[in-house]
Structures are given as C-alpha cells and as structure tokens.
Amino acid sequence: MIAGLDVGGSKTLGVVLDPGGAVRATVRVPTAGDGGDALLASTVRALADLATAVGLAPSELEAVGIGIPGVVNTDDGTVRHAVNLGVNGDPLALAAHLTETAGVSAVVENDVNAATAGAAAMLGDVTDLALLSIGTGVAAGLVLGGTLRRGHRGAAGEIGHVSLDPAGPPCVCGQRGCLEAVVSGPAIARRWPVDGATGAATALVAAAERSDPRAVQVLDEVAGYLAAAVVLLALTVDPDVILLGGGVAEAGSPLLAAVRSALGRRVGPVPLLGPLDLPRRVRLVPDTVPVGAVGAARLARERLSHATA
Ligand SMILES: [Zn+2]
C-alpha cells in the first residue's frame, strides 16, 4: 500500500493505493497554512489518518508521495517556496520530517506535476498530455512520451507568466497581463466578486448562463485567454489531450463549453490551426478520483522502483 497527499491551500486530500493502483481509502483534512511547522504537523496528521483508514501504521506503508503548490527539490524532498502555505524562507525538509516522525519514505513533487501524472494514469491510453491548472496560480504540467517533464530548471510548463497583454493588469511576477493575472481564481474574483463558499468562476458561469450581460462579457474574455493558453500548449508540444484543472476548472462544463467556443472562433478560420481540432482535444480533468493525490502516490512508487532496480 502506498499513500499520496495533495496539499492544497485550504485542504489536504489523501489516498491509499493498493499494489494494482486502485484507490483503497481517501481522506480530507484542513491544511494548516500558517508556516512550515504547522504544515508539517497537518501533513503528518493526514498521513496518520490515511494509514488508519486501511488498518496500518504509517511506517507499514510502502511510501508516501506529496504534491505541494510550490518550488520543490524532488531530489531531497525539500520545499523552497510555497507562498500560499506560509513557506517562503529556509527550505522546508518535508520528506525528511515525514521519514523521521512517521518512519516512511517520502517523495515530494510540485502539485501540478503530481496532478498531471495522476490524470495521465487515469486516462490510460494517452502518452502526451498537458494539464493546464488554473487556481490561485496558473501553470501547465506535461507528460510527454509517458514521462513527466519537469524541464532543465523545473520551469517546464510555467506558462502562467507568459504575458498575453502588455497593457493588462499587473502580475505578482512584475510583468503585466500574464496569463495568471487574467485567468487565475483571484483574477476572476477581482472582476466577479463573490461572498462565501462558491468560487468566483462557478458564480461567473452561473451568471453568464442567466444571460447577465456583464458576466457573459467577462466569461468570454477569460475563455479567450484560456483558448490562447491551449493554442500555446498545442503549438509547443502538441499533446493528445489538454486538460483544464485546478479550482477555476471546478466551474465545470459551462467553462469548458466557453473555452471550446472561444477556440473555435480563434483557430477555426486559421488554415494552420483549424485542422488541429483543438476544441475536441480540450477536456476537463477527470473528477472520479483526486488526481493530485493519486499522481503523488504513483510518482513515489515509480521513484522507489527505480531506486531499488
Ligand atoms: Zn506573471
């Protein structure tokens, strides 16, 4: 049995996979996002809950894989920056801490990469896949030739900071009009403020479905920028499938329909792009399993099998 954790800004989702890769247990615990020590404690707690759910001690698990939104050193399992979790100083030795306190081997991965590996496993017959994760941050994960592609400096797929509109809103990175500055959850919430639990993107598509003219306009713009990101990914690595994931994609099929329609308008008339059939190749990330946690577990299993081979 191997565990996977997907550490998000507010919640941590966990799974246990059996040797055949089937999900045997899932847990969901709040993430303590106020600094390194709190984060370590909530991660240890999630792991303990998972082990209990399958009647094991944490040390009896084969390993644990952890996906975390931040800059990760996959070699030593440290997290350098995870700003939304209050980690932004000395590297946090997440893998070493879990091994020390829970007696289990741990592998740490960037959360978008983990989700991409999980989605690729779910889709099965796809060897080249891009997952455009649209949440607080925006980035793409890439599985190419069946292998997760991190890049030379770990920056493969960091297209959230490609500037699409030099006159657009300022981005946290210092540029203007980055993809992240126009389609992230906070960017949508600035244009479509909501109170309470419903995400801004979900509220926006609901208002657009009621034909609220301003919502229709904002959704068209967001979908247009997402269509531009899909074209960018298609023309860079031409994956079989481009998945939309992350918190914004929880707005679901109305958002997908808007992106497909924006793609049709954008690329349909272009002889180079029309035949690429992009509207059909864009899909929502599978929601039958938590792909981030599943991917983290599978990457940990892969790493261990290489280490012992
Ligand atoms: Zn930026």
Side-chain angles (χ1 to χ4, degrees):
M1 298 279 187
I2 194 158
L5 294 171
D6 181 19
V7 179
S10 59
K11 62 182 187 293
T12 295
L13 290 172
V15 298
V16 176
L17 302 186
D18 68 17
V23 175
R24 292 289 292 274
T26 59
V27 300
R28 180 188 174 110
V29 301
T31 303
D34 43 3
D37 289 343
L39 177 65
L40 292 176
S42 71
T43 308
V44 169
R45 191 162 58 246
L47 180 64
D49 286 0
L50 270 179
T52 303
V54 290
L56 296 175
S59 60
E60 293 175 297
L61 293 163
E62 186 186 336
V64 57
I66 302 144
I68 191 161
V71 180
V72 163
N73 181 332
T74 54
D75 290 330
D76 64 6
T78 57
V79 181
R80 265 192 294 139
H81 296 281
V83 178
N84 296 321
L85 300 170
V87 177
N88 200 14
D90 295 333
L92 181 70
L94 182 55
H97 181 80
L98 282 165
T99 302
E100 243 165 63
T101 56
V104 61
S105 305
V107 169
V108 181
E109 183 57 77
N110 168 269
D111 64 334
V112 175
N113 286 345
T116 309
M122 293 306 299
L123 295 180
D125 56 345
V126 167
T127 53
D128 288 356
L129 170 74
L131 189 160
L132 180 62
S133 177
I134 318 144
T136 307
V138 176
L142 302 169
V143 166
L144 300 174
T147 303
L148 183 64
R149 193 64 61 96
R150 298 182 182 87
H152 180 51
R153 300 284 175 95
E158 290 290 347
I159 63 168
H161 297 290
V162 172
S163 174
L164 298 178
D165 178 6
C171 181
V172 287
C173 74
Q175 304 182 91
R176 298 190 82 90
C178 289
L179 179 62
E180 183 167 308
V182 291
V183 304
S184 67
I188 294 173
R190 273 193 294 279
R191 302 194 62 194
W192 200 263
V194 286
D195 304 321
T198 309
T202 301
L204 174 66
V205 298
E209 287 196 310
R210 293 192 303 270
S211 302
D212 177 313
R214 209 176 70 77
V216 170
Q217 190 204 335
V218 172
L219 179 58
D220 268 2
E221 288 177 24
V222 168
Y225 285 124
L226 289 173
V230 168
V231 172
L232 178 62
L233 287 167
L235 292 182
T236 309
V237 289
D238 196 17
D240 305 338
V241 177
I242 297 165
L243 296 175
L244 306 181
V248 167
E250 286 171 16
S253 44
L255 178 71
L256 177 64
V259 173
R260 283 178 165 164
S261 144
L263 268 172
R265 287 195 301 275
R266 186 185 184 98
V267 304
V270 181
L272 170 71
L273 300 176
L276 296 180
D277 203 14
L278 291 179
R280 197 188 52 78
R281 289 160 65 189
V282 180
R283 298 189 215 160
L284 294 172
V285 76
D287 61 358
T288 47
V289 298
V291 288
V294 168
R298 296 184 73 102
L299 288 170
R301 181 166 275 163
E302 203 176 280
R303 178 80 75 86
L304 281 183
S305 68
H306 286 170
T308 54

